[in-house]
Amino acid sequence: AQTVTQSQPEMSVQEAETVTLSCTYDTSESDYYLFWYKQPPSRQMILVIRQEAYKQQNATENRFSVNFQKAAKSFSLKISDSQLGDAAMYFCAYRVDTGTASKLTFGTGTRLQVTL
Amino acid sequence: GAVVSQHPSWVICKSGTSVKIECRSLDFQATTMFWYRQFPKQSLMLMATSNEGSKATYEQGVEKDKFLINHASLTLSTLTVTSAHPEDSSFYICSAREWRGIEKLFFGSGTQLSVL
C-alpha cells in the first residue's frame, strides 16, 4: 500500500522568507503523480502544485516549487517570499497513474504559520 | 477553473436522523467523484469512490449501509449519513474528477456535520 509521510506537524516562517515543507512516500509503482494541496482556515482544498513522476524537471508555480527526488521518494515544497496568505495546512498527496480514475492518498499535513 | 459545489456547508442534526450531503460539478461532467472524511487536525481519509450509474466503491472499514452514496447523474453525487450518531460528527469533503486528456480533481468546500 502507498503511504505518504509528512514529518513536520508545524512550521513557521517569517514574511518574505523561504520555507521548505518535507514529504516522503512509499510506492512500488513507476508511474504516479504527486501533489501539494493547501487547506486554509476556510477548509477549501486548493491545489498548489503537481508533479508527474516521469518528469525529471521539478515543477514550479510562481513562488512555489518542488524538489522531487524519485530515487529517494522525496517530494518537498519550497515557498519563496512567504506571504501572510500562505498560512494554512499543507498536504502532500500521491496518486498512481492507472489510466483510470485513481484515488489520492494524503499525508498527515503540515501547519504553516507565517509571522510578521 | 472548474467549480464543485457542496451543500450544505454545515448541518446539525439529532442522533438517529439521516443527513444528505450533495456534491455538484457546476461546469463539467464528472463520471467519478470521491468522498472524504476529515477529523479535526487530521488528514483527509477517503471513504468511497462514486461512479456515475454504478455502485460506489467503499474503502475498507467504511460501512456502506451507514454512508449511502448515489451518483445518479454526471454532475451530482450525494452522501447520506443514515441514523447518524455523535461519532459521525466530522468534516466531509467531496471531489470531482474532470478528464480532458489529463485528469484533474476539484474539491467541494466541505460539510461540517455535528450530531447531537
Side-chain angles (χ1 to χ4, degrees):
Chain A
Q2 294 84 11
T3 59
V4 179
T5 302
Q6 293 178 250
S7 59
Q8 305 155 315
E10 290 190 8
M11 292 285 284
S12 183
V13 63
Q14 281 192 319
E15 196 177 19
E17 296 297 310
T18 296
V19 65
T20 299
L21 307 184
S22 301
C23 173
T24 58
Y25 58 95
D26 185 27
T27 184
S28 58
E29 303 287 341
S30 58
D31 292 327
Y32 51 88
Y33 295 87
L34 295 164
F35 306 85
W36 279 97
Y37 281 90
K38 170 184 178 181
Q39 188 179 41
S42 68
R43 305 183 81 172
Q44 173 77 56
M45 295 293 285
I46 301 167
L47 177 64
V48 175
I49 201 165
R50 63 180 272 157
Q51 172 81 42
E52 291 88 343
Y54 65 86
K55 289 186 177 180
Q56 291 187 334
Q57 187 173 8
N58 290 324
T60 61
E61 287 288 341
N62 301 313
R63 298 183 294 109
F64 300 88
S65 61
V66 298
N67 183 3
F68 173 47
Q69 301 290 328
K70 190 172 184 179
K73 297 180 181 175
S74 170
F75 183 61
S76 61
L77 174 69
K78 186 172 80 172
I79 305 174
S80 303
D81 186 25
S82 296
Q83 300 175 359
L84 293 177
D86 294 334
M89 280 292 289
Y90 286 82
F91 292 99
C92 179
Y94 163 99
R95 192 191 86 217
V96 67
D97 182 12
T98 64
T100 58
S102 301
K103 60 185 181 182
L104 281 173
T105 300
F106 287 92
T108 51
T110 297
R111 180 170 300 281
L112 178 65
Q113 292 183 324
V114 181
T115 59
L116 293 171
Chain B
V3 177
V4 173
S5 173
Q6 187 173 341
H7 178 80
S9 300
W10 58 269
V11 57
I12 302 173
C13 69
K14 292 182 178 180
S15 186
T17 61
S18 294
V19 174
K20 180 185 285 187
I21 303 170
E22 292 187 349
C23 181
R24 293 180 184 273
S25 56
L26 297 184
D27 53 359
F28 67 99
Q29 293 183 334
T31 56
T32 303
M33 293 186 177
F34 301 91
W35 288 96
Y36 295 87
R37 183 173 182 177
Q38 186 180 28
F39 290 107
K41 298 184 179 181
Q42 294 190 22
S43 187
L44 280 72
M45 299 300 296
L46 180 67
M47 298 175 65
T49 301
S50 170
N51 298 298
E52 187 268 337
S54 64
K55 291 184 179 181
T57 303
Y58 290 82
E59 294 300 301
Q60 190 173 10
V62 178
E63 300 176 57
K64 60 180 67 175
D65 295 330
K66 175 74 167 175
F67 300 99
L68 299 179
I69 292 173
N70 184 283
H71 195 156
S73 78
L74 287 171
T75 59
L76 174 64
S77 176
T78 61
L79 168 67
T80 301
V81 183
T82 62
S83 186
H85 291 285
E87 58 266 29
D88 298 324
S89 298
S90 187
F91 190 67
Y92 294 87
I93 308 176
C94 72
S95 70
R97 172 184 183 253
E98 181 192 42
W99 176 258
R100 293 184 186 179
I102 183 170
E103 178 177 324
K104 292 185 178 180
L105 293 177
F106 298 94
F107 284 83
S109 54
T111 298
Q112 179 64 52
L113 171 64
S114 297
V115 185
L116 305 178

